[in-house]
Amino acid sequence: LAGQPLIVIMTTAPIALYIKIIVAVADEHDMDFYALYTSVGLWNALYVILYAITNATKLMKYSTRSTEEIFALFICIAFTVDALKDAYKDFRKNYMTEECAKFDELVASNLAMNSTATIPVCHRENSLLFLLLMLGTL
């Protein structure tokens, strides 16, 4: 019953964000990821046991549908911002480079046809393909 696609999809995004944050904290503080991940899991187990003992699950009746929608919106925004950051990095790496600026100057001055100057290599197609693939997976 728990292998249903809806259950898998609904839990994948929060866990991916959760692990991404733990990886970022571990990298920032030069800690072992697996040790940090284990300690966070043990603390979560302790809190779940504490909630079970105190019957804190009764508080869930105050959680409305809008709470779930706000959390889903947060996850959507987090993944969108991450994708846009990666697209910006790729455009800075391949599209907005000094070689591309030199290539544009060469084309604008029309020297490419008349001289034997070396033509700088510009990989703008990589960024456009990256953007096409990113927008195609929405």
Side-chain angles (χ1 to χ4, degrees), residues 43-108:
W43 275 105
N44 282 339
L46 179 70
Y47 280 118
V48 168
I49 291 169
L50 184 66
Y51 293 155
I53 291 171
T54 61
N55 206 10
T57 57
K58 287 190 174 194
L59 296 174
M60 286 305 293
K61 67 181 175 183
Y62 299 114
S63 177
T64 61
R65 175 112 173 124
S66 64
T67 307
E68 181 181 342
E69 295 298 325
I70 290 170
F71 186 68
L73 179 67
F74 166 71
I75 291 171
C76 180
I77 289 172
F79 277 123
T80 303
V81 166
D82 193 36
L84 291 176
K85 282 182 184 177
D86 288 341
Y88 178 75
K89 286 179 188 175
D90 188 74
F91 268 81
R92 294 289 293 173
K93 177 183 172 190
N94 294 319
Y95 200 86
M96 299 180 281
T97 61
E98 290 184 24
E99 289 84 13
C100 290
K102 290 176 186 175
F103 181 77
D104 289 342
E105 289 175 8
L106 197 62
V107 170

Side-chain angles (χ1 to χ4, degrees), residues 17 37 51 57 85 100 117 119 125 130 133:
L17 284 176
Y37 192 59
Y51 293 155
T57 57
K85 282 182 184 177
C100 290
I119 299 174
E125 66 275 3
F130 185 93
L133 288 172

